[in-house]
Amino acid sequence: MAKKGSIDFPPKPDKDDNPGAIKLAFERAEEARKAATRAAAEKAFGPVGTETDTQPEMLSGQGAINGTPASEAVSKDVANVPSELSAIFGDKIPTDVLDLYAKLDGDFDFDFSPVVHTKEEQQSADAAVPAIERIPFDPHSVPSVDESNLNASQYTANPEMQADMDALSARGAKNALEAEVQEQINRNRRTRAKGEFIAGETEDIPMADGTPKEWKQKLRELIGKFDGSAKERFGGMGERGERLKNYLDTRLEELRSKGEASGLEKGVRWAGEVYNKLGWKSKLGVGLGLGIGAGASMAFASLPAAAVFFTGIGMQRVAGFAGKFLEYEAEREAKTPGEKWGKEKAMWGALKYTALMTAGMLALSYGVKEAVGYAREQGWDDKAIEWAKSFWSDEKKTVLIQGDRPPAAAIIAEKTAAAHAPATGAPSAAVPEAAAPAPIEMPTVKASAGHGYEYMMKRLWEDLHAKGVELPTNANPDSDLARLLAADEDSIDKLVHEMASDSKHQFFRADGLSVLITPDAQMTIGARGELFLSDAGHEYQFAPAHAPATPAAFAAPHVEPQAPTPEALDLYFGTQSAAPQEVNPLTGLVNEQAPAPVETHTVTTESIISPEPVKTVDLTPAQDAANQGAVETTQTPIMESHSTVNSFGVEVSVTAPRLYADSADHIFAYGGSPVENGKIMLKYLIKNPDKIIYAADDSGKYRIPWHLVDGKVVPAGAPIQTSGFFGFFREFMKAPGPDEFERVVNIESTTEASANVAVESPAPTPEALDAAAAAAKRAQEEASVAARVAADVKAQEAADIVSTQKAAANAEAVRAAAEAQSKKIDDVIDAAIRVEAQRKQEAADAAIRAAARIRK
Amino acid sequence: MISPMQDELTAAIAADLGISALPIEEQKPLIAQFGEVALKAATLAVLGNLAGDKRDAFAKLAEAGDASALKAFLDQEVPGHEALVRTAVAEEVKRFKDFQSA
């Protein structure tokens, strides 16, 4: 228990028995006492600076005591006048001073004898100090302090009062600061609530664990981490990244300007448009094709190499090539583990994909010679080059398509030759271990007019059985060879149809196109039992996206064309009433429902030349079935005739080609096949050469404008696009449909020269018909490209939407996390401020108490 | 196979461009954008040496991605086109790296 009257040390010294600390405590106590005195004075005499000059003088020191006005100095007979007051005021002590003193003196009784406490005594003394009402710290309740008044000259003469005022000023300033910090915190919260980030600074005033500025800095850093994370997910960049991005933006603009200045802006714009349609993989490939990533030597850079990625097939090929290398490496390692292949592996490790891909690009784009030359430049050894050549060999005509292999016959022949040749040490990874143990001549089926992919497969199936080919014991049971060998007469038709259209082969595609098979094409079985189709320019295991294709709409030329009869011509030109039963001029079959006639005209004597036999073969399942029907008489395709009456009351035939017009006098060709459309358009355009006719492309999906050039019907431009929404969401217009047609265009009546087109108008020449067919084919090719582009764009848009949605979701999550973290930080700051303020409040209170004791 | 290869290619191109130190998320858009710069620079270099009436043919062949046909076309119409492209792209790479070191 501390003795009453012992000294309380307001702020705890560092060590209880440290004389320096004690001295410090005394100094602080003295400061606190001065502050208390100053506060008492202010309280007693009103706001500082508004008092008369006489009042301060009353308390300004000994010399002023007797000069105090009588009205202010109350002579009181006070018993037990405190000696410190009498020492100052003598017998005349101001009443207010006495009152103030009484308040200060209320609870304290101490002497000035310094006493050294033990720690326990100090703690007991602290506990014994009567509790002072502790008001929770509220920075907003702290009154502002006018420092100029605190430094008023009238106080400077009294050091104690000035010290008191200084202490008060400091305390007020502290509280004001804390209030400001709190306000700043609140502002920050409001700012964040609006989705913004903190701006502005606060004073750098020391606090318990750092200054507010430091706290804010920490807060910003933490938020910055979240912010940075959010930026990454938003696709944003750091400072350096942004700087580089800005550079590239500027550079692109420079190139655009350069192109514009040199008249090449179209080319520059084209490059940008093509490039921006590509996905990330293909963009990587374009960069690689241009030599970026191949090292400082830039040993290889070529626009053709980059262009293979425009179609999206390049990366697939390169991936296949890389896969083969790894496969080769793994096979060799499994077969001859150890250091024999260490050099190749080291080469692989050194070159990685870069040089390999570049060599692959050369092989894809140019040929084996250039690729091997590059490989040598890169330091590939002979073995690796030989291995590469096995895939690039012109003799084997092997094209790097994912998973392909040279024809089995070639592989087997090579293996046989290798078995008889002296060992060269060259890698033979190209010779699959799964090949047949003995040379087996795989059957080969050649393409023939009117026969398609399925037909060839079926003939191959027959030959396989005829030759007694058996499935090798180590062959893949799911291979094409295994499936063909397992099929019987009942299942083979279904099997070949499945194989034609499955995702593995894709000869018949989901979009209705089928791969064009040239007359020199032949089909065999590859080294791993896969179907292998080749012609002079291509070798396929599956149909790549860029492979020439022919649409189902070109089905007509499958049969040997016959000269159409006049009746048939009238039927297809809509110039004669349909007989109860009409004959399809191309198939020779009876239409079940003939198109309704639109007009009746005199049968002309036009000399119609039948189109030349088309050299290509359509391989769609439907057509192939038709082909087989034609050849094997097992199926009989029937062309269905159909017509409808649209909302304008116009009868529109699906099978009979006619011209229609809408309210804006746009002319449309509709009905029948593209070839038939070509004929009717030619007929119309010859008489109306300045007109444009809109018709479907050969896929039947999109709308293409046609016009007459040099007597030929050719597309007048790209497929028509919708205007979209402010340029967005543009898409290709669908092919003309029956609901658009307001009237039928009478071809004959459109001519101004004569009403009798049969006599006056030039008859379609063979060249014109060929031109129409060629135009249709070109249109088909362009439509195919357009369709692919549209599909790419749609896929990219879909990916962008998904990406945007994900980014938005991520951003929301990140923002929420950042907000939560920010709130935590705020709470920590708040707590720190309050703790510190409370601690200082307590220290100030203790100092005041100490001062009172000292004073007492 | 695709993803590792993309990673390898990305790393190789990033190294060539001197941006390996950047986060991968920043590398990708820069690589993509640089690819456009390089393609445009290369296209300008080639088109600048191509007769005006041949430019449409070039665009069609290039867009079709028929490398062999495009090469044959350029071999005939723009002798030394590979060197032009190589120089143009190398110049862009150099510019980009110079900018970074500036």
Side-chain angles (χ1 to χ4, degrees):
Chain A
M1 190 71 183
K3 291 188 296 183
K4 190 174 183 180
S6 65
I7 294 177
D8 276 324
F9 297 95
K12 289 184 179 179
D14 294 336
K15 291 183 179 179
D16 293 341
D17 56 354
N18 184 331
I22 294 172
K23 182 182 178 183
L24 177 63
F26 271 109
E27 290 173 351
R28 290 180 176 174
E30 181 63 12
E31 290 174 2
R33 186 188 69 76
K34 291 178 180 177
T37 303
R38 186 172 178 172
E42 187 171 12
K43 184 174 182 179
F45 301 112
V48 176
T50 60
E51 302 297 324
T52 62
D53 291 340
T54 58
Q55 289 172 325
E57 288 178 357
M58 292 178 66
L59 299 173
S60 63
Q62 297 284 349
I65 295 173
N66 294 326
T68 301
S71 59
E72 298 292 342
V74 179
S75 178
K76 296 182 69 174
D77 183 14
V78 181
N80 301 320
V81 173
S83 58
E84 60 266 33
L85 290 183
S86 61
I88 297 172
F89 297 102
D91 295 335
K92 296 184 181 298
I93 302 172
T95 304
D96 291 341
V97 173
L98 285 174
D99 292 342
L100 174 62
Y101 187 85
K103 291 178 180 177
L104 289 174
D105 192 35
D107 296 316
F108 302 103
D109 183 16
F110 49 81
D111 62 30
F112 289 88
S113 304
V115 176
V116 177
H117 296 272
T118 64
K119 192 169 184 178
E120 290 73 18
E121 288 173 338
Q122 179 62 48
Q123 290 173 343
S124 299
D126 289 344
V129 173
I132 299 175
E133 182 184 5
R134 295 185 177 183
I135 303 171
F137 173 69
D138 181 1
H140 295 287
S141 68
V142 177
S144 61
V145 177
D146 187 347
E147 293 186 10
S148 61
N149 288 335
L150 292 177
N151 292 326
S153 59
Q154 60 265 38
Y155 294 108
T156 57
N158 186 333
E160 284 190 355
M161 181 167 284
Q162 184 60 51
D164 292 344
M165 296 307 288
D166 289 344
L168 184 61
S169 174
R171 181 174 169 181
K174 179 178 79 72
N175 291 337
L177 169 64
E178 289 168 348
E180 186 173 345
V181 170
Q182 181 63 39
E183 178 58 27
Q184 181 64 41
I185 291 171
N186 292 336
R187 279 201 300 272
N188 292 343
R189 285 174 172 169
R190 289 192 294 272
T191 302
R192 273 185 222 100
K194 295 177 183 176
E196 300 169 358
F197 291 101
I198 297 171
E201 297 287 342
T202 57
E203 291 84 349
D204 194 6
I205 304 299
M207 302 240 345
D209 294 321
T211 67
K213 185 177 180 180
E214 290 168 348
W215 274 102
K216 297 301 176 189
Q217 183 61 32
K218 290 178 182 177
L219 177 63
R220 271 192 292 274
E221 289 174 358
L222 285 170
I223 291 175
K225 289 180 181 178
F226 286 97
D227 184 30
S229 175
K231 277 186 174 180
E232 288 175 2
R233 300 179 191 206
F234 283 126
M237 291 187 177
E239 184 178 351
R240 186 185 169 203
E242 285 290 348
R243 182 167 165 265
L244 296 178
K245 183 178 181 304
N246 290 337
Y247 163 80
L248 292 172
D249 286 339
T250 304
R251 186 60 187 147
L252 282 172
E253 179 60 23
E254 289 174 355
L255 290 172
R256 189 196 64 77
S257 300
K258 185 178 176 183
E260 199 171 28
S262 54
L264 300 173
E265 69 275 14
K266 185 178 176 184
V268 175
R269 188 170 61 249
W270 163 82
E273 289 173 353
V274 169
Y275 186 80
N276 288 322
K277 289 174 184 172
L278 302 178
W280 165 244
K281 285 190 296 182
S282 291
K283 284 179 177 174
L284 270 181
V286 169
L288 189 64
L290 293 174
I292 310 166
S297 65
M298 302 292 291
F300 175 70
S302 162
L303 271 183
V308 300
F309 292 95
F310 293 174
T311 58
I313 195 66
M315 186 56 72
Q316 192 178 37
R317 292 182 178 182
V318 172
F321 185 81
K324 288 177 185 303
F325 193 99
L326 292 178
E327 182 182 318
Y328 150 76
E329 186 182 48
E331 285 180 1
R332 299 314 307 170
E333 176 63 24
K335 187 174 181 180
T336 57
E339 60 184 14
K340 180 179 178 182
W341 295 95
K343 190 173 181 180
E344 283 73 18
K345 295 186 74 168
M347 174 199 74
W348 172 249
L351 296 177
K352 286 290 186 182
Y353 290 97
T354 307
L356 187 63
M357 294 307 101
T358 308
M361 291 292 302
L362 278 163
L364 292 169
S365 306
Y366 294 175
V368 65
K369 182 180 176 183
E370 288 82 358
V372 170
Y374 176 80
R376 289 191 190 283
E377 288 177 7
Q378 296 298 315
W380 292 30
D381 69 359
D382 290 341
K383 294 174 184 176
I385 291 172
E386 286 301 317
W387 168 83
K389 285 172 70 175
S390 72
F391 290 99
W392 297 336
S393 168
D394 287 334
E395 290 73 22
K396 294 174 185 173
K397 296 180 179 177
T398 301
V399 176
L400 283 172
I401 297 176
Q402 193 171 27
D404 64 355
R405 285 290 186 278
I411 290 290
I412 293 167
E414 181 184 29
K415 187 170 183 178
T416 304
H420 293 85
T424 60
S428 57
V431 181
E433 300 303 324
I440 299 176
E441 188 71 24
M442 287 289 173
T444 299
V445 175
K446 294 183 179 180
S448 55
H451 300 133
Y453 183 68
E454 295 178 46
Y455 174 84
M456 294 172 77
M457 269 197 287
K458 191 169 181 179
R459 299 290 84 77
L460 191 60
W461 167 76
E462 290 175 348
D463 289 349
L464 285 171
H465 285 283
K467 285 180 175 288
V469 175
E470 295 181 355
L471 191 67
T473 54
N474 56 351
N476 182 353
D478 295 325
S479 65
D480 296 335
L481 177 61
R483 296 174 71 187
L484 285 172
L485 291 177
D488 57 21
E489 290 185 355
D490 294 332
S491 61
I492 185 62
D493 289 336
K494 181 182 179 186
L495 175 65
V496 297
H497 179 68
E498 289 175 352
M499 292 174 69
S501 56
D502 67 17
S503 58
K504 180 180 175 184
H505 299 88
Q506 300 182 38
F507 275 77
F508 175 58
R509 302 174 186 168
D511 59 6
L513 302 182
S514 60
V515 172
L516 186 70
I517 294 182
T518 54
D520 63 334
Q522 58 183 12
M523 179 183 287
T524 185
I525 297 293
R528 294 196 169 181
E530 76 279 13
L531 282 172
F532 197 87
L533 188 69
S534 62
D535 59 25
H538 308 88
E539 292 184 0
Y540 303 129
Q541 186 188 63
F542 72 93
H546 73 285
T550 181
F554 274 89
H558 278 287
V559 295
E560 199 66 25
Q562 302 171 355
T565 64
E567 292 79 10
L569 284 172
D570 283 334
L571 170 66
Y572 279 88
F573 280 82
T575 54
Q576 189 179 46
S577 299
Q581 288 188 333
E582 296 290 347
V583 177
N584 185 315
L586 298 179
T587 65
L589 301 174
V590 174
N591 289 332
E592 291 182 337
Q593 182 180 357
V598 177
E599 298 169 8
T600 301
H601 295 277
T602 303
V603 176
T604 70
T605 56
E606 291 176 272
S607 176
I608 304 299
I609 307 300
S610 61
E612 291 182 6
V614 177
K615 296 179 180 179
T616 58
V617 180
D618 177 73
L619 298 173
T620 62
Q623 188 55 40
D624 194 58
N627 295 338
Q628 293 189 37
V631 175
E632 302 169 3
T633 65
T634 56
Q635 297 177 21
T636 304
I638 296 175
M639 181 178 289
E640 184 179 356
S641 177
H642 184 65
S643 63
T644 59
V645 177
N646 67 13
S647 57
F648 297 104
V650 176
E651 184 172 13
V652 180
S653 172
V654 177
T655 54
R658 293 178 194 147
L659 297 182
Y660 302 86
D662 63 7
S663 58
D665 286 335
H666 293 130
I667 308 298
F668 304 97
Y670 183 81
S673 70
V675 173
E676 293 163 341
N677 265 297
K679 289 179 181 177
I680 196 170
M681 286 193 290
L682 177 64
K683 193 172 181 179
Y684 176 85
L685 290 173
I686 284 175
K687 291 184 286 184
N688 303 276
D690 296 331
K691 293 281 189 179
I692 287 180
I693 299 176
Y694 297 93
D697 65 354
D698 286 325
S699 71
K701 295 179 179 176
Y702 304 111
R703 179 173 308 201
I704 293 181
W706 300 82
H707 65 167
L708 193 68
V709 176
D710 297 333
K712 300 176 182 177
V713 177
V714 298
I720 306 298
Q721 286 185 285
T722 62
S723 58
F725 180 72
F726 291 103
F728 295 97
F729 309 115
R730 296 182 68 184
E731 58 183 9
F732 291 107
M733 286 186 76
K734 293 179 181 176
D739 289 340
E740 299 178 66
F741 308 149
E742 288 196 16
R743 57 189 169 87
V744 175
V745 174
N746 185 342
I747 298 176
E748 317 306 333
S749 67
T750 56
T751 174
E752 297 175 359
S754 171
N756 189 346
V757 68
V759 176
E760 300 294 335
S761 65
T765 62
E767 292 76 14
L769 291 173
D770 288 345
K777 185 178 180 181
R778 281 197 300 275
Q780 176 267 322
E781 291 171 355
E782 293 184 7
S784 176
V785 171
R788 283 205 303 275
V789 170
D792 288 345
V793 170
K794 283 185 177 295
Q796 188 63 45
E797 287 174 350
D800 289 346
I801 290 171
V802 171
S803 175
T804 303
Q805 289 173 342
K806 286 182 178 178
N810 287 337
E812 187 59 32
V814 169
R815 183 176 293 280
E819 182 66 24
Q821 187 67 16
S822 174
K823 186 176 183 309
K824 287 182 180 177
I825 294 169
D826 276 346
D827 292 342
V828 170
I829 293 175
D830 297 350
I833 290 173
R834 290 198 174 92
V835 167
E836 178 63 13
Q838 188 71 25
R839 190 181 73 77
K840 293 190 175 182
Q841 177 83 17
E842 291 172 2
D845 291 343
I848 291 171
R849 290 198 302 272
R853 289 182 194 137
I854 292 169
R855 188 180 187 92
K856 196 169 185 179
Chain B
M1 181 54 59
I2 294 293
S3 293
M5 188 180 70
Q6 287 185 51
D7 292 342
E8 295 284 353
L9 293 179
T10 304
I13 293 177
D16 213 9
L17 297 180
I19 57 173
S20 298
L22 291 174
I24 188 71
E25 292 78 7
E26 296 189 16
Q27 288 179 19
K28 286 185 175 180
L30 290 175
I31 288 173
Q33 199 172 7
F34 185 85
E36 185 178 357
V37 168
L39 179 63
K40 287 186 172 179
T43 304
L44 269 178
V46 171
L47 287 181
N49 288 271
L50 190 62
D53 58 343
K54 303 288 185 181
R55 289 171 186 167
D56 285 342
F58 162 82
K60 285 186 178 179
L61 286 173
E63 193 167 6
D66 189 338
S68 299
L70 184 61
K71 180 181 183 299
F73 176 81
L74 290 180
D75 284 347
Q76 180 178 341
E77 303 294 340
V78 187
H81 63 91
E82 292 153 346
L84 288 173
V85 169
R86 190 159 53 238
T87 302
V89 176
E91 172 64 19
E92 292 302 328
V93 172
K94 183 176 181 300
R95 277 172 174 265
F96 189 61
K97 296 175 91 168
D98 287 348
F99 175 78
Q100 293 178 65
S101 58

